[in-house]
């Protein structure tokens, strides 16, 4: 069968714009939960509800989005991408409208937690594979632009949610958000196009054969540790601002700036990873995401320093979302991408569900101090970077094996599959496979 060659542009840019907008009205909208959480904790909105229960609402929305991934993959295979996206539009809309009528915490669990997560999951799973299908050499850039939508959406909705709650009411804030998300996501669902038939995408919800690959386990560990750090940072920062003496308005601004940082940081991560190496860039930026909380957030007590941390930390905090499509494609291949991502989302259910509750329990155990939660965030990110670096070493070995098979220098074999002219290549016998430890430190554009 003739190998499909992506157009590397064209209508693909329309799809990138649609996916970015969908991300803004799913993940971006969900990012504003930090504002809702701070409001719930400060105003006892649902009498009798505990801090832990409020934390679970935010974690539940993300974990449910990931848990429905096999079902969303199945609906894509049976009825197509558009139907999957429209199912997501339906669930997200009724979740926000339903949350506006919630009078007890269990109703919030079902609406803002469970149902919103389902809507976000169908929209996300249905759209996340679109951008990589349309691009080859610009794949990471396209994915970075797509992922930036969640950051920009988080910026807008963090500020908008705070303003609406203050000036209108919590109930009408939910209703307005639901109507806006419904209209925008519906338009994007009608415009986006996939290329599943052209690439022969497997669209299997659960391909157990992937678990035979050690590199896939490494990717799963990278994703899990990244999410343990990311969710804490995303939801805890506005509340942290209030614990060090700032107002609710200042906390919402800090949360919004964190999302602004994500929106500004993801496209450059994608752009430079196409040249620097997708795995190289992902591991490096994830390490910085762990370093910044330890050296900046740990000592941030003023509004100005927190704004600085939010913008610089936010620029690398969502690295996972900016690179997940390109890196998974780099390691596993485009045909296996839907199934690999479906399993990945399922595995991430646990860390996304319990990350913020763990952080709030750490805060409570330390008498209200966020020091332990900050350390937890930093070390989770650094551990994620270490896991991805191990996958990188495996990838270098794969390039060396490929080079040996065709008699080329492994440093001249493109991770995208391009080869140098045969008259520039050494004999196969001259190419050797490096030991794994050496591959941890050797330079290669992967």
């Amino acid at each position: 069968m003739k190998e499909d060659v992506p157009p590397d542009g064209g209508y693909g840019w329309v799809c990138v714009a649609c996916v970015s907008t969908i991300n803004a009205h799913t993940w971006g909208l969900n990012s504003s939960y930090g504002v809702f959480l701070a409001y719930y904790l400060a105003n006892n909105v649902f009498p009798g509800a505990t801090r832990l229960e409020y934390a679970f609402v935010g974690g539940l929305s993300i974990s449910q989005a990931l848990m429905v991934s096999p079902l969303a993959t199945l609906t894509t295979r049976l009825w197509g991408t558009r139907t999957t996206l429209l199912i997501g539009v339906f669930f997200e809309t009724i979740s926000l409208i339903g949350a506006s009528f919630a009078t007890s915490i269990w109703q919030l669990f079902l609406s803002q937690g469970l149902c919103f997560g389902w809507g976000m999951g169908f929209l996300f799973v249905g759209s996340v594979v679109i951008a990589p299908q349309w691009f080859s050499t610009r794949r990471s850039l396209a994915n970075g632009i797509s992922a930036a939508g969640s950051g920009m959406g988080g910026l807008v909705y963090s500020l908008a949610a705070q303003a609406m709650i203050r000036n209108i009411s919590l109930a009408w804030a939910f209703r307005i958000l639901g109507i806006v998300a419904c209209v925008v996501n519906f338009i994007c669902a009608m415009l986006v196009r996939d290329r599943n038939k052209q690439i022969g995408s497997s669209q299997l919800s659960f391909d157990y054969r992937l678990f035979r690959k050690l590199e896939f386990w490494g990717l799963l560990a990278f994703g899990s540790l990244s999410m343990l750090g990311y969710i804490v940072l995303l939801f805890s920062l506005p509340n942290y601002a209030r614990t060090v003496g700032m107002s609710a308005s200042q906390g919402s601004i800090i949360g919004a700036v964190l999302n602004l940082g994500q929106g500004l940081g993801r496209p450059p991560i994608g752009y430079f990873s196409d040249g620097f190496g997708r795995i190289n860039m992902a591991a490096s930026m994830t390490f910085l995401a762990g370093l910044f909380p330890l050296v900046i957030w740990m000592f941030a007590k003023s509004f100005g320093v927190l704004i600085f941390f939010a913008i610089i930390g936010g620029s690398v905090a969502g690295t996972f979302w900016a690179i997940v499509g390109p890196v998974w494609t780099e390691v596993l291949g485009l045909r296996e991408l839907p199934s690999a991502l479906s399993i990945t989302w399922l595995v991430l259910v646990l860390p996304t569900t319990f990350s913020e509750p763990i952080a709030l329990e750490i805060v409570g155990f330390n008498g209200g101090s966020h020091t332990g939660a900050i350390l937890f965030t930093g070390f989770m990110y650094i551990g994620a970077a270490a896991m991805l670096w191990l996958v990188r070493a495996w990838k270098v070995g794969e390039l060396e094996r490929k080079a040996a098979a065709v008699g080329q220098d492994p440093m001249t074999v493109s991770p995208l599959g391009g080869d140098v002219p045969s008259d520039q290549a050494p004999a196969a016998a001259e190419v050797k496979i490096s030991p794994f430890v050496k591959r941890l430190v050797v330079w290669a554009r992967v």
Side-chain angles (χ1 to χ4, degrees), residues 282-304:
S284 301
M285 295 302 101
T286 302
F287 175 79
L288 290 179
L291 181 65
F292 289 150
L294 300 179
V295 301
I296 303 177
W297 187 14
M298 180 72 72
F299 308 101
K301 306 297 180 184
S302 67
F303 183 68

Side-chain angles (χ1 to χ4, degrees), residues 36-167:
F36 285 95
L37 177 62
Y39 179 79
Y40 294 152
L41 293 174
N43 295 277
N44 192 30
V45 178
F46 300 98
T50 66
R51 293 168 59 94
L52 194 60
E53 288 174 324
Y54 284 130
F56 268 117
V57 173
L60 191 63
S61 66
I62 297 179
S63 67
Q64 288 302 303
L66 303 175
M67 184 173 285
V68 300
S69 59
L71 181 58
T73 304
L74 177 63
T75 60
T76 301
R77 185 172 79 244
L78 295 177
W79 302 308
T81 297
R82 182 165 296 157
T83 299
T84 298
L85 296 178
L86 292 177
I87 292 173
V89 173
F90 170 77
F91 277 118
E92 183 172 336
T93 302
I94 64 170
S95 73
L96 293 169
I97 301 299
S100 70
F101 296 100
T103 57
S104 58
I105 189 65
W106 69 266
Q107 294 170 342
L108 199 67
F109 269 107
L110 294 178
S111 55
Q112 195 176 14
L114 196 73
C115 192
F116 185 88
W118 290 350
M120 186 164 65
F122 277 97
L123 282 161
F124 173 64
V125 173
S127 64
V128 70
V129 298
I130 300 297
Q133 293 178 347
W134 284 89
F135 296 87
S136 55
T137 59
R138 301 184 208 173
R139 182 174 293 153
S140 294
L141 172 61
N143 202 76
I145 295 172
S146 300
S150 62
M152 302 311 293
L155 165 67
V156 172
Y157 283 121
S158 292
L159 296 174
Q162 175 66 30
M164 287 189 288
I165 291 171
R166 183 179 64 248
N167 298 320

